[in-house]
Amino acid sequence: MAFMVKHVVGGQLKNLTGGLGEEKPEAEKTDAAAQGMTQEEFEQYQQQLEEEKQEREANFAQKKAERATVRSHFRDKYRLPKNETDETQIQQAGDDVVLPTELAKMIAEDGQEEASKQSVFGHLSSIQNVDMDQLKDKAQATLEDLKKQTESCSLM
């Protein structure tokens, strides 16, 4: 019961006096002691945290540079204006910027698709409702007819 009275009245009395006269020695503890470590352990812990932070920042910069490389590749591919922030991110990362293998494969496949689209058959296949096999068969049949006609021609 005394505890309850002290707790109820003590809190109000402390608020009234502003907490004067009572200073706890716990406030004087260092950060290391507050966490239950010696000063040496605390310094090692802080150093480890700093190293992890630097590693995360380096990985983040690497990822940003990889993304910037991909964006600059597509800007070159589609002839869009260059972005200076991408180029500075790539330069900050140095020569370590390498496209992930999956993206490199996708880019290579895009290049192959573009090469096939630049051919005549590529343009025809992009037109809807065109059966390429039927078109090839008709072309071969027409070519064979022309050969037969030229063989039977008396001028040739």
Side-chain angles (χ1 to χ4, degrees):
M1 185 72 174
F3 172 74
M4 288 295 287
V5 171
K6 185 178 179 182
H7 180 68
V8 171
V9 175
Q12 293 175 351
L13 185 61
K14 188 175 182 180
N15 288 341
L16 237 155
T17 61
L20 297 176
E22 280 189 50
E23 290 187 25
K24 295 185 178 181
E26 294 176 14
E28 296 175 4
K29 289 185 178 180
T30 62
D31 291 335
Q35 293 186 3
M37 297 182 219
T38 64
Q39 188 65 26
E40 192 175 298
E41 290 174 337
F42 184 72
E43 288 174 4
Q44 289 176 348
Y45 176 70
Q46 290 295 330
Q47 184 179 7
Q48 182 183 8
L49 286 177
E50 186 65 31
E51 289 173 0
E52 289 174 356
K53 181 180 177 184
Q54 289 175 353
E55 185 178 330
R56 282 193 310 271
E57 288 175 355
N59 287 337
F60 182 67
Q62 178 71 22
K63 292 290 184 183
K64 281 175 68 173
E66 288 175 359
R67 291 184 204 112
T69 303
V70 171
R71 285 192 299 268
S72 66
H73 167 76
F74 284 116
R75 281 192 181 97
D76 291 342
K77 179 178 176 181
Y78 295 111
R79 297 180 189 109
L80 297 172
K82 296 188 182 216
N83 190 348
E84 291 183 24
T85 57
D86 287 346
E87 292 182 17
T88 56
Q89 287 175 352
I90 293 169
Q91 290 173 357
Q92 287 175 351
D95 293 333
D96 298 337
V97 179
V98 178
L99 286 178
T101 55
E102 295 174 3
L103 286 175
K105 288 178 184 177
M106 288 173 54
I107 291 170
E109 290 172 1
D110 286 346
Q112 290 174 352
E113 287 177 13
E114 283 187 24
S116 67
K117 285 183 180 180
Q118 289 177 353
S119 69
V120 174
F121 289 116
H123 286 293
L124 289 176
S125 65
S126 65
I127 299 172
Q128 294 179 352
N129 299 328
V130 174
D131 186 13
M132 289 302 293
D133 293 331
Q134 184 181 9
L135 188 62
K136 285 180 184 178
D137 292 339
K138 285 183 180 180
Q140 287 178 348
T142 305
L143 188 61
E144 290 174 6
D145 287 342
L146 285 174
K147 284 182 182 178
K148 288 179 183 176
Q149 288 176 0
T150 55
E151 289 174 358
S152 63
C153 181
S154 59
L155 293 175
M156 297 263 184

